Amino acid sequence: LCEHAELVSGLRVLDMGAGTGLVGLTTAELGARATLVDVPRVLPLLSGNVTAFRQSGGNRASSDIVAGPLWWGDEPAIEQLAADRGLFDVILCCEVVYQQPAEVLDALRRTLEALLLRPGGKVVFAYQHRDGSEITDVEFFAKLSSLSCMRLISEEPLSQWDDAWDDTLCRWVRIYTFAGEDLVEGADAKAAL
């Protein structure tokens, strides 16, 4: 991410499944207007890290960083987040797709659809193939294209930055962009069938 600061600098960035906040805090340091969300049980640690970041005197954007709870698929919470922070230029999903039940991945997909700025918004996945991913995860990524009309624009292995793994290509960064409103109508028709 630090080598591609142009992906986030000066933009509205949502870190979904932020965990400790490392990725979202990095975007704030790179100049993003950062919003970090995760499930409520994670929020005390996440909020504490955001507070510590602000107090550390980080980048000028650190004053425009917030952390909050968000369950994927919670429509009222999603609408409130969009009202409070706007739609997002970039949504980061670091290690959130891994053998989740289909209904959880569908909730994630719908949440991405609702919060991504159109046109031109990007969703960035840091993803690791795991046993069983050929069933659950592959279907999720296929639905991003077929139902959500998101187009894969970049797929890059992480192996050049991480020599802790053997020669197996199992860790990737995938970047999707919204393909357009005209395709959504077609996807809605497909989904109705």
Side-chain angles (χ1 to χ4, degrees):
L1 185 61
C2 292
E3 292 181 12
H4 298 284
E6 73 280 358
L7 283 173
V8 298
S9 183
L11 301 176
R12 287 181 310 259
V13 175
L14 175 63
D15 184 3
M16 297 243 318
T20 62
L22 178 62
V23 175
L25 294 172
T26 300
T27 69
E29 187 63 25
L30 294 172
R33 179 179 182 218
T35 303
L36 290 66
V37 296
D38 211 317
V39 296
R41 67 179 169 78
V42 175
L43 217 49
L45 177 61
L46 179 58
S47 296
N49 287 341
V50 167
T51 298
F53 179 78
R54 278 194 196 112
Q55 292 171 348
S56 73
N59 192 327
R60 68 199 180 304
S62 65
S63 63
D64 194 8
I65 180 172
V66 298
L70 183 67
W71 287 101
W72 302 336
D74 180 346
E75 291 180 19
I78 292 166
E79 290 171 8
Q80 188 62 55
L81 178 59
D84 292 345
R85 299 292 281 174
L87 295 179
F88 294 91
D89 303 293
V90 179
I91 300 176
L92 302 173
C93 298
C94 183
E95 292 296 329
V96 299
V97 177
Y98 50 91
Q99 302 173 350
Q100 301 278 7
E103 59 273 7
V104 172
L105 292 175
D106 282 341
L108 171 59
R109 183 182 52 75
R110 290 190 316 273
T111 302
L112 294 172
E113 287 174 7
L115 293 172
L116 185 63
L117 181 69
R118 298 177 185 137
K122 293 184 174 108
V123 180
V124 180
F125 289 94
Y127 171 74
Q128 178 177 325
H129 293 280
R130 293 177 171 87
D131 292 340
S133 66
E134 64 279 357
I135 298 167
T136 57
D137 301 354
V138 168
E139 183 177 324
F140 168 77
F141 288 115
K143 284 183 176 180
L144 279 180
S145 296
S146 66
L147 295 180
S148 298
C149 298
M150 292 187 197
R151 180 173 50 94
L152 179 66
I153 58 172
S154 175
E155 184 172 41
E156 186 175 339
L158 288 173
S159 55
Q160 72 186 57
W161 296 287
D162 184 3
D163 60 3
W165 295 87
D166 57 21
D167 292 336
T168 306
L169 291 178
C170 63
R171 296 172 48 149
W172 296 86
V173 171
R174 292 179 171 176
I175 302 177
Y176 289 79
T177 190
F178 188 72
E181 291 294 336
D182 56 329
L183 294 176
V184 170
E185 292 173 13
D188 288 343
K190 271 196 242 178
L193 295 177

